[in-house]
Amino acid sequence: MTETLAPAPAGTGTLNETRWTTVCDYDDLQPERGVCALVGDRQVAIFRTYDGALHALSGHDPFSGANVLAWGIVGTRDGLPTVASPMYKQVFDLTTGRCLDDPAVSVPVFRIRRAGRRVEVAES
């Protein structure tokens, strides 16, 4: 199920819509565990941390080339929520996608929200 939000302000000449894809029920997400969802044509890793926060980033590990980040080890480093790739163990900040072991590398992050019981990820 996808819903569309309001268009951009008048006078812009184009509609700037955000398309949201429902990926699962909030209660289906176990704290500190990831799941993989297909959003548009991209594999997205979805995480619910112990504090209840939701995070979404690309499931693609840039170091191994595999779509495995949803199966990584969730934790923290210097107070930041993180996921460590299950392949070569590089650690990524769940809020920014930045690799904490190699700051020149990052993965895309996606907007995520809770809409009632549903968890939704923005397609763009």
Side-chain angles (χ1 to χ4, degrees), residues 58-73:
S58 172
H60 185 80
D61 175 1
F63 293 96
S64 70
N67 289 311
V68 295
L69 289 183
W71 296 279
I73 300 165

Side-chain angles (χ1 to χ4, degrees), residues 5-64:
L5 296 183
T12 61
T14 61
L15 293 178
N16 185 14
E17 297 178 341
T18 298
R19 294 179 54 85
W20 293 89
T21 298
T22 298
V23 294
C24 65
D25 188 90
Y26 181 80
D27 294 330
D28 291 337
L29 296 173
Q30 295 180 19
E32 305 297 305
R33 298 278 176 108
V35 298
C36 185
L38 188 61
V39 177
D41 62 352
R42 300 182 80 173
Q43 287 192 27
V44 177
I46 311 290
F47 300 93
R48 175 182 165 190
T49 53
Y50 274 123
D51 63 3
L54 295 169
H55 303 278
L57 60 136
S58 172
H60 185 80
D61 175 1
F63 293 96
S64 70

Side-chain angles (χ1 to χ4, degrees), residues 7 22 40 49 69 71 85 88 95 110 114 118-119:
T22 298
T49 53
L69 289 183
W71 296 279
S85 171
Y88 302 122
T95 59
F110 296 85
R114 184 175 175 184
R118 298 181 319 228
V119 174

